[in-house]
Amino acid sequence: MADLIEAPVADTTHAVAVSRIGRARRTLPSLSGKLLTGVLLIVGITLFGLIGPLFTGDPRDAGNEPLLPPSPEHLLGTTKLGHDVLAQIATGTQGSLFVGVVAGLVALLLALLFGVLAGYFGGLLDELLMLATNIMLVIPGLPLVMIIAAYVQNTEGLGALARSSLLVAVVLGITGWAGSAVVLRGTARSLRTRDYVAAAVVAGERPLRVIFVEILPNLVPLLAAQLIFGVIFAVLGEAGLSYLGLGPTGSITLGTVLNDAQTGQAVGSGAWWWFVPPGAIIALIGTGLSLINFAIDEIVNPKLRLAPAAARRQRRARRAGVGVTGEETAS
């Protein structure tokens, strides 16, 4: 009799475990070509930024001949001041990734604060938070970043922090959260009407516990997508600020390398090895993160997940001369 009782219990436990694994797999992006390509690009660039500076030497060493073309001794040549371009790009990649990650996290935290709280609580708090969000959306992004960066960097008392990568990352983070906040607010408003959230409220759970336990876990794919978008915005924003001379001066980033190439007239002197590689790495960072973001979007929007299969069915039907519904097309 005990064996008969334990068997159904074991089968039920196994079924629950299989169901949980299935749900977990459905929340993960499927292994597609764009996801694999994006991950390989980002992992490769990250490893280059982390490990590259250990093997490329001092990026500020000016003891080399100026404007040397690529050679076995200097794989990407040298700058006008004799700096090794490969060493500068390796260190600059690390600096740009640091700015992107820090700015993305700052923007995500502000988007959570304004978006999720406004969407869950509603009422007057929603109106006040959305008023601040809409103001940030209306103000043009690049001029706002330039004004804040120029003001903060000229503020006395900041010392080395005034023109550091950390300060640039914080400035980019506090100016790039509004769009994500609007998206998170709409999703949080939808989730607060779900049965499990209502059950938690009826059970007497505190609002913050409901947000962290019931709502945020369901926002993980959307939060990942918004974080990636924030990193892309920050990497491109830092490159733009540095190109305009408002970037960090105490550290090297891909943007500062491009700024040095612009001020050193690399284009006019034909030193393509000075400005093409950093621009290409910035483009590859944006491409890789965008591909990963597209894969995450397929989780958030099921229509995007089903679109490739539908397109393949249509192509096969056209090649076979049959309509999608199975009817033969007129020849």
Side-chain angles (χ1 to χ4, degrees), residues 195-242:
D195 293 339
Y196 57 86
V197 176
V201 174
V202 172
E205 298 288 351
R206 295 181 179 180
L208 289 180
R209 178 176 174 79
V210 174
I211 291 174
F212 281 99
V213 176
E214 304 294 343
I215 292 181
L216 286 186
N218 292 281
L219 291 176
V220 169
L222 188 59
L223 293 178
Q226 298 305 315
L227 175 62
I228 292 174
F229 174 78
V231 173
I232 296 174
F233 170 82
V235 171
L236 297 179
E238 183 277 327
L241 283 177
S242 297

Side-chain angles (χ1 to χ4, degrees), residues 96 172 234-244 253-256 258 282:
S96 293
L172 291 170
V235 171
L236 297 179
E238 183 277 327
L241 283 177
S242 297
Y243 190 79
L244 296 174
T253 65
L254 294 174
T256 59
L258 288 175
I282 292 175

Side-chain angles (χ1 to χ4, degrees), residues 322-328:
V322 179
V324 179
T325 60
E327 300 177 356
E328 293 187 0

Side-chain angles (χ1 to χ4, degrees), residues 11-291:
D11 293 340
T12 304
T13 304
H14 178 71
V16 171
V18 171
S19 177
R20 289 178 178 175
I21 294 174
R23 287 197 299 268
R25 288 179 177 176
R26 285 193 295 270
T27 59
L28 295 175
S30 58
L31 186 59
S32 60
K34 54 179 173 287
L35 176 62
L36 183 61
T37 303
V39 170
L40 290 177
L41 281 174
I42 297 304
V43 170
I45 293 173
T46 302
L47 291 177
F48 174 67
L50 294 177
I51 303 176
L54 301 177
F55 300 96
T56 55
D58 185 5
R60 294 183 174 85
D61 182 14
N64 305 305
E65 291 292 331
L67 292 180
L68 289 176
S71 63
E73 185 177 358
H74 302 284
L75 296 180
L76 290 179
T78 61
T79 69
K80 190 174 183 178
L81 297 178
H83 300 142
D84 185 81
V85 174
L86 180 60
Q88 289 217 326
I89 291 177
T91 305
T93 300
Q94 184 181 95
S96 293
L97 291 176
F98 170 78
V99 171
V101 171
V102 172
L105 290 174
V106 171
L108 183 62
L109 290 176
L110 290 175
L112 280 172
L113 178 64
F114 282 80
V116 176
L117 292 182
Y120 177 77
F121 288 104
L124 180 60
L125 180 61
D126 182 17
E127 294 181 2
L128 292 176
L129 293 178
M130 282 299 101
L131 175 62
T133 303
N134 291 331
I135 291 175
M136 293 296 297
L137 285 173
V138 170
I139 300 176
L142 182 60
L144 178 62
V145 172
M146 293 172 59
I147 292 173
I148 295 178
Y151 174 78
V152 174
Q153 291 173 356
N154 292 323
T155 301
E156 297 181 358
L158 293 179
L161 183 64
R163 298 299 296 269
S164 65
S165 298
L166 179 60
L167 182 64
V168 172
V170 172
V171 170
L172 291 170
I174 64 177
T175 56
W177 57 269
S180 299
V182 174
V183 176
L184 293 176
R185 172 182 176 263
T187 308
R189 292 189 65 178
S190 174
L191 291 175
R192 74 175 182 179
T193 61
R194 303 293 175 86
D195 293 339
Y196 57 86
V197 176
V201 174
V202 172
E205 298 288 351
R206 295 181 179 180
L208 289 180
R209 178 176 174 79
V210 174
I211 291 174
F212 281 99
V213 176
E214 304 294 343
I215 292 181
L216 286 186
N218 292 281
L219 291 176
V220 169
L222 188 59
L223 293 178
Q226 298 305 315
L227 175 62
I228 292 174
F229 174 78
V231 173
I232 296 174
F233 170 82
V235 171
L236 297 179
E238 183 277 327
L241 283 177
S242 297
Y243 190 79
L244 296 174
L246 296 174
T249 57
S251 57
I252 299 175
T253 65
L254 294 174
T256 59
V257 175
L258 288 175
N259 176 259
D260 292 340
Q262 188 267 335
T263 56
Q265 298 180 349
V267 177
S269 59
W272 58 267
W273 57 87
W274 193 358
F275 61 88
V276 171
I281 293 180
I282 292 175
L284 290 175
I285 291 174
T287 301
L289 291 175
S290 298
L291 291 174

